[in-house]
Every structure is written in C-alpha cells, then in structure tokens.
Amino acid sequence: MPRQATYASERHPWIAVAIQGWAQEMGITILVLGVLAASQSVISWGPIFVVVSAGIVLWRRPDFRARVGRNQRRRRATRRLHGALWHCGVVGRDGRIPLVKRMALTPVGRRYLVLLPMGLHAEAFEARSPEICAALGARQLKVKVVPENARYLELVEIRRNPFPRVVGSSLVNATSTDLWLPVHFGVGEDGRAVSLGLPEHNLLLGGEPGSGKSVVLSNLVAAAALDPRVSLTLL
C-alpha cells in the first residue's frame, strides 16, 4: 500500500495542489484584470475610476472588509493544512490528499471538516497526526470520526492553551437557572464550553487531590440553588 500511494502521488505534482488552493485568488485576479482592461477600452482614465470606486466601497463598508479578511484567513489555514498533508504523504490510493470541506475558528485554534480520499480511513489518519501537528506547528491535533459518515472526520487544531489560569463561572451574574437545561460544566480541550445534562442522570466525580472536584461540586450546587423549583439536601 505505501508503494501504491507513493507512485500515485507522483502523478499529482505539488503544483496541482497549489493551483487548487489558490483557485479563488487566481479567479479574482483575472476578473480584476478583465475589468481594468474593459474600462481602459471605454475611456483612458477608466482604470483610475475603477480603482478609486473600489477603494471608496471598501472604506465605506467595514463589514465587507471584515468578511473578506475572514475568508482569506480561512483559505490560508486550509492551504496550510493541505500543504502539511501533502508533505507528510497522507494520501489515498489514487494519490489524493484529504480535502477540507469546512473550517471554523475556535477559542484555541481551528476546527476542520475533512473528506478522506478512497483508501484512507480515520485510524490511519490519526496515526499520522503527530507528523501533521509538527508540520502545522500546532500545540496538539485532535481527530474525531463523524458518526454519520466514515468518509468524514473532524480535525481540531489546538494552537493555544485551552485551560486558562482563571476560569470564571457563568453563574456569577446569573439570577436564576433551570436544571432541566444543560449546566455549564467547564472547558474542553478544544476550548469550547462543555455542558452537562442532569435530569435522569447520576454523577460521579473523581480525581487526584487539587484536580478541582470541589470546584465542580460547588458549581453544580450553585446551579441547583439558583433554580427556584429545586430543594437542596446537603450531607
């Protein structure tokens, strides 16, 4: 299988991956050059008018600038991941690398939805995650299979410490709670909030001394105390 992947990848040179990653930028560049050439053919100072008009639009529409900036950052991160996969040799039987279908920012990095090529499965991808993490220069890489479709996996790129030194409780400024709804439990490894549903569940807390069991218990008791329909019994 490694020989097949190597030979197949030789038929798909790096330039093909680069062109695919820069397709939108190349399309925008061709469109801009076409508009400038068309304006030049209409009137001699047409390109100047087009450039000034575009600058005014960008100046008057900060939301458009922000949207373009976010899109460019997403595409830059996608290209980085595609490049890391290519250089690490993470390819399927046909020499194709996994493709990023969606990307979103997280409090500690980025989260990708990745489509695996034929001949590559999640376990094989996860085994290569240390190499990919080093190629990205990330702190950690988490791989999670999408239950609905084995061809997709969720890749979490962690670039910052997900556990800040001081974590404030969301109950500090709360006036009431509803224990039928999920209770904020803490922060996960990907920096996202973790909630816990208490109805029809039992809870067992365990950990070494100083790991935060009392803090978790205090948070749950405070959530119960803020629910006017709850009667607390403490032993």
Side-chain angles (χ1 to χ4, degrees), residues 132-181:
I132 304 170
C133 183
L136 292 172
R139 182 188 184 100
Q140 190 179 4
L141 210 62
K142 306 288 290 184
V143 180
K144 180 182 178 182
V145 181
V146 176
E148 293 80 8
N149 193 333
R151 288 197 64 190
Y152 290 89
L153 57 83
E154 184 182 78
L155 186 65
V156 179
E157 178 188 358
I158 301 175
R159 306 193 68 87
R160 294 178 293 275
N161 183 9
F163 306 114
R165 294 184 178 181
V166 179
V167 180
S169 174
S170 60
L171 301 174
V172 172
N173 299 319
T175 58
S176 64
T177 59
D178 185 355
L179 285 193
W180 287 104
L181 301 177

Side-chain angles (χ1 to χ4, degrees), residues 2-220:
R3 293 181 61 86
Q4 294 177 354
T6 302
Y7 293 153
S9 63
E10 292 174 355
R11 298 195 298 269
H12 299 270
W14 168 250
I15 188 64
V17 179
I19 291 176
Q20 182 180 13
W22 290 91
Q24 183 176 3
E25 287 78 1
M26 294 171 61
I28 294 175
T29 302
I30 294 173
L31 178 62
V32 170
L33 293 177
V35 171
L36 293 177
S39 62
Q40 175 72 32
S41 64
V42 173
I43 191 170
S44 60
W45 47 269
I48 299 177
F49 174 78
V50 171
V51 172
V52 172
S53 300
I56 293 175
V57 170
L58 292 176
W59 173 58
R60 298 291 296 177
R61 292 293 303 274
D63 57 329
F64 179 74
R65 295 200 310 269
R67 185 165 64 251
V68 171
R70 287 193 301 268
N71 184 54
Q72 291 303 314
R73 286 191 293 271
R74 289 191 181 98
R75 294 189 63 81
R76 191 181 305 119
T78 299
R79 287 195 297 267
R80 287 180 61 253
L81 179 57
H82 283 165
L85 295 173
W86 181 269
H87 286 297
C88 292
V90 184
V91 296
R93 293 182 182 274
D94 58 355
R96 298 180 183 273
I97 62 172
L99 293 179
V100 176
K101 307 303 289 185
R102 286 202 303 268
M103 194 280 287
L105 296 176
T106 67
V108 295
R110 303 176 182 91
R111 185 172 67 255
Y112 305 89
L113 179 66
V114 178
L115 174 63
L116 298 176
M118 297 294 290
L120 188 64
H121 53 86
E123 292 182 2
F125 189 100
E126 188 172 10
R128 307 293 298 276
S129 61
E131 303 172 40
I132 304 170
C133 183
L136 292 172
R139 182 188 184 100
Q140 190 179 4
L141 210 62
K142 306 288 290 184
V143 180
K144 180 182 178 182
V145 181
V146 176
E148 293 80 8
N149 193 333
R151 288 197 64 190
Y152 290 89
L153 57 83
E154 184 182 78
L155 186 65
V156 179
E157 178 188 358
I158 301 175
R159 306 193 68 87
R160 294 178 293 275
N161 183 9
F163 306 114
R165 294 184 178 181
V166 179
V167 180
S169 174
S170 60
L171 301 174
V172 172
N173 299 319
T175 58
S176 64
T177 59
D178 185 355
L179 285 193
W180 287 104
L181 301 177
V183 178
H184 176 69
F185 192 67
V187 178
E189 289 182 323
D190 58 357
R192 290 184 292 180
V194 177
S195 299
L196 179 68
L198 295 177
E200 300 182 358
H201 288 89
N202 296 321
L203 179 63
L204 176 64
L205 296 176
E208 61 183 11
S211 61
K213 300 184 299 297
S214 299
V215 175
V216 172
L217 186 59
S218 299
N219 189 72
L220 296 177

